Amino acid sequence: MLSNHYPITAVKDIIGAGGTIVKEDTISVLLTDSRRITNAAEGLFFALSGRRNGHEFIAEAYAAGVRNFVVKHHTDIKMPGANFLLVDDVLAALQKLAAYHRSRFKLEVIGITGSNGKTIVKEWLYQLLTPDKNTVRNPKSYNSQIGVPLSVWQINGNDELGIFEAGISTVNEMDKLEAIIKPSIGVLTHIGPAHDEGFESRRQKVLEKLKLFRHSRLLVHNYDQLTGYEKDIPVKERFTWSTKFKQADLYVFTETVIRRNFYLRAIFREKEIECLIPFMDEASVENAIVCWATMLAMGYSPAAADDRIERLNQVSMRLELKNGINNCSVIDDSYNSDVQSLEIALNFLNQQNQHPKRTLILSDIYQSGLQDDILYRQVADMIETKGINKFIGVGEALDRYRDSFNVPEKYFYPDTNTLLQRLKELKLDNETILIKGSRSFEFERISQALALKAHETILEISLNALLNNLNFYRAKLKPGVKVMAMVKAFSYGSGTFEVANMLQYNKVDYLAVAYIDEGVALRTGGITLPVMVLNPESSAFDKLVENKLEPEIFSFELLDEFVRYAQTTGLSNFPVHIKIDTGMHRLGFEEHDIDILCDLLEENKYIRVQSVFSHLVASDAEEHDEFTQKQISTFERAYKKIERALGYKFIKHIANTSGITRWPQAQFDMVRLGIGLYGIDTALPQGAGGLQPVATLKTSVSQVRKVQANDTIGYNRNGKLANGGKIATVRIGYADGYLRAFGNGVGKMLVNGEYAPTVGNISMDMCTLDVSNIDVREGDEVIVFNEELRIEELAQEIGTIPYEILTNVSQRVKRVYFYE
């Protein structure tokens, strides 16, 4: 089987390098960043010269264990046992090695370029085509002169299809990428103004991009955008699509919105076909049509293409939300700055309601394709429209156009260093701060200065996955059915206002919490949605009413207490939710109580029934389906009797997460979505149905040490390695929520992609792992659970349920929220 393992002597010959091989090594990993060293023993470090000179970091890479380097000149640092390959151009050597590697494989390769949509189309084609073929693609947006060779290096003998995107910013770049990718199928995405400034004209840019397809047998493109380029297209066979011209191979002639989806109809091979696209924005629709055209061009049937495209998952840019100093929240987008992504980030900023003030820290914007006066006028208008309270501009261009910005507070600095030196004068306090900058401004330094320093164990929450899961269940609802999202128990351990803000922005109908103080926290965080309190306490009725929270009434005693409180305080028609016990036997009025309950509710001017609901006991378990049906029937009898007595309509709900997926007849007026929001539904096969895990719990290695066969590890001397070995102490313990039941080999974690079992007892603040066969160093990241090592697996290991694993994560564990 062909692989990417090469003797260092072979690498030397491939790239035509000088230098002396002092030690024969095998190379399997290409390294370009000394901060991100993996598998150092088989790594080849390329000392690239860009914004920083890679030769300055050779010593750091050597200290990390790297012994093979490609350099432009010798280094004076003494490095015994290291091989140095001398070349005239380090980047060219990297590209030459990747091109050679690519040439060894006969797989089909799709090459993607364009101004916009490259990464989205690449990721979506990966989703669409991977079920049929082993597929390799660029990680993230690795489409540059460095990113492409690193991506192509991933090809191995198992791969049947490659999907690689190529990005350029000026002339004479695409030839190099074409030699590496060598696509047999070309895909041209949207052509727009991005990177126009690197070319003499739009035509020159298009011609440069077309070089990627020089040796392709097929090109898929928008018919409209290559009008006038017919003689310049280097591909004989073309598949075109259009929304304007009937002569295109795929003529999309109508678009209709159906339940937050785009329904497209088109003519293909003289027949009408259709496609449902699960997105609403214009860019996503165009990118999806590109994927549709590509699948048809590759021979997929219209039915198969439609079926797969309908199940596409969104791919977007990633924003990081974290706690900041002085009671601030920080949205970190330190590496990406353009008009389109700025608007996305500002929209996310506007979702945040936890602070009274919204602040934007923005750098100069590069590669916009617009003249500066037009660009910054657009930016200023956008900022004003989004209601920014404080604007902090960094860069010479923003300073020149400072008068364009009509913001209550505004500050301008020539560079990042100056801003950091004068940070205190900004008096940042109790505000949501968006940090948005081009990479060269190194805004990550600002993010580090503003972020609240915390325990290194982190729970990462993907708000995109949360939204995906919300939409997954929404798609199963009948028209008009409302959604109540359960955010009790700190949103199942995932956060309070951070999760609630996303749910509110995406227009769920209700939130539910367990206790009044949880509801008060939501109101303090700016949440205005109706909130039901499942277990209200009479001692806090004043807080409940003050914060416009709505109590669940589950007993005659509680009903009497709340009515007396309403009488005393002068309340009338206050919304309440009546709980019916249909078989849970935990809280609620039983069926024989309904007649008396109706007498008490009828013509009661102090309260108004907002909803009547119950709780399914085993909606996920097929063996209890008869009992579930009995619950539903009991509930129907109860709410109908109450509705007749009251003489008005109210919301009816009984279905929980598993009830949504298994009992559509129980949707009634509203459903209560709980653990399914967080990617877990025991009624579905693991990983099935489009749910995405929301949470990733990660920590880091504090220390690595060798132990002998007779050594004991941890409290009570319970831990041992029979033959001795190597252990890693990691920064998580039972005080963080990693239960003691995981000790002594029951639990395992992911260390550098490898499973490492626990050794010995779990301590309060740390535990130890057996890493005898893993290359690991202090500071390395350790995954406790994620989409690979799933919460469901951890629960099975200790005989519990996923709820307990997720909600048990301690409050001292730092939460970081990602939005793409």
Side-chain angles (χ1 to χ4, degrees), residues 472-541:
F472 170 81
Y473 287 100
R474 272 179 164 165
K476 296 182 177 299
L477 301 181
K478 300 170 186 176
V481 175
K482 300 178 184 295
V483 174
M484 174 182 281
M486 311 300 288
V487 292
K488 61 181 181 177
F490 197 56
S491 294
Y492 293 73
S494 298
T496 51
F497 57 77
E498 298 90 350
V499 171
N501 272 324
M502 189 281 294
L503 295 171
Q504 178 169 276
Y505 185 80
N506 287 281
K507 302 187 184 306
V508 300
D509 302 281
Y510 256 92
L511 299 178
V513 296
Y515 297 104
I516 291 172
D517 56 355
E518 292 179 320
V520 172
L522 292 179
R523 292 291 186 244
T524 303
I527 301 303
T528 59
L529 282 173
V531 177
M532 181 175 77
V533 179
L534 298 170
N535 199 1
E537 297 167 303
S538 57
S539 60
F541 280 163

Side-chain angles (χ1 to χ4, degrees), residues 29-48:
V29 180
L30 307 185
L31 305 170
T32 61
D33 190 333
S34 61
R35 299 164 298 181
R36 301 175 182 177
I37 301 297
T38 59
N39 193 6
E42 294 186 3
L44 177 61
F45 184 86
F46 288 82
L48 297 168

Side-chain angles (χ1 to χ4, degrees), residues 199-241:
F199 302 88
E200 294 178 0
S201 64
R202 179 71 60 84
R203 179 175 179 80
Q204 186 186 52
K205 183 177 75 171
V206 173
L207 293 177
E208 181 73 11
K209 289 184 177 294
L210 288 175
K211 291 180 181 178
L212 178 62
F213 316 122
R214 183 176 297 159
H215 298 98
S216 300
R217 62 173 175 80
L218 170 66
L219 173 62
V220 179
H221 68 88
N222 185 334
Y223 182 95
D224 315 4
Q225 292 202 330
L226 289 188
T227 301
Y229 290 89
E230 287 81 5
K231 294 182 180 180
D232 304 302
I233 299 174
V235 186
K236 291 183 178 179
E237 182 182 356
R238 290 189 285 158
F239 187 100
T240 61
W241 67 270

Side-chain angles (χ1 to χ4, degrees), residues 486-634:
M486 311 300 288
V487 292
K488 61 181 181 177
F490 197 56
S491 294
Y492 293 73
S494 298
T496 51
F497 57 77
E498 298 90 350
V499 171
N501 272 324
M502 189 281 294
L503 295 171
Q504 178 169 276
Y505 185 80
N506 287 281
K507 302 187 184 306
V508 300
D509 302 281
Y510 256 92
L511 299 178
V513 296
Y515 297 104
I516 291 172
D517 56 355
E518 292 179 320
V520 172
L522 292 179
R523 292 291 186 244
T524 303
I527 301 303
T528 59
L529 282 173
V531 177
M532 181 175 77
V533 179
L534 298 170
N535 199 1
E537 297 167 303
S538 57
S539 60
F541 280 163
D542 54 342
K543 288 186 178 180
L544 180 141
V545 172
E546 179 185 347
N547 289 276
K548 297 182 179 179
L549 306 174
E550 302 175 9
E552 168 190 319
I553 303 296
F554 52 77
S555 68
F556 290 116
E557 291 79 10
L558 184 61
L559 175 61
D560 185 53
E561 286 178 338
F562 191 76
V563 169
R564 285 204 309 270
Y565 174 83
Q567 289 174 324
T568 304
T569 56
L571 292 178
S572 63
N573 289 317
F574 197 87
V576 301
H577 301 261
I578 303 298
K579 175 71 173 289
I580 307 299
D581 180 8
T582 58
M584 175 72 81
H585 298 320
R586 192 172 60 181
L587 294 174
F589 296 95
E590 296 187 65
E591 190 170 13
H592 61 74
D593 296 326
I594 300 303
D595 289 336
I596 299 174
L597 177 64
C598 288
D599 291 340
L600 295 174
L601 294 176
E602 191 175 5
E603 297 181 4
N604 189 319
K605 65 179 182 180
Y606 301 106
I607 62 174
R608 181 178 179 86
V609 175
Q610 189 72 7
S611 84
V612 172
F613 72 104
S614 188
H615 196 110
L616 296 177
V617 176
S619 58
D620 60 332
E622 185 177 353
E623 64 268 27
H624 297 303
D625 280 357
E626 184 177 348
F627 186 81
T628 299
Q629 184 58 62
K630 181 181 177 182
Q631 281 194 277
I632 295 170
S633 299
T634 302

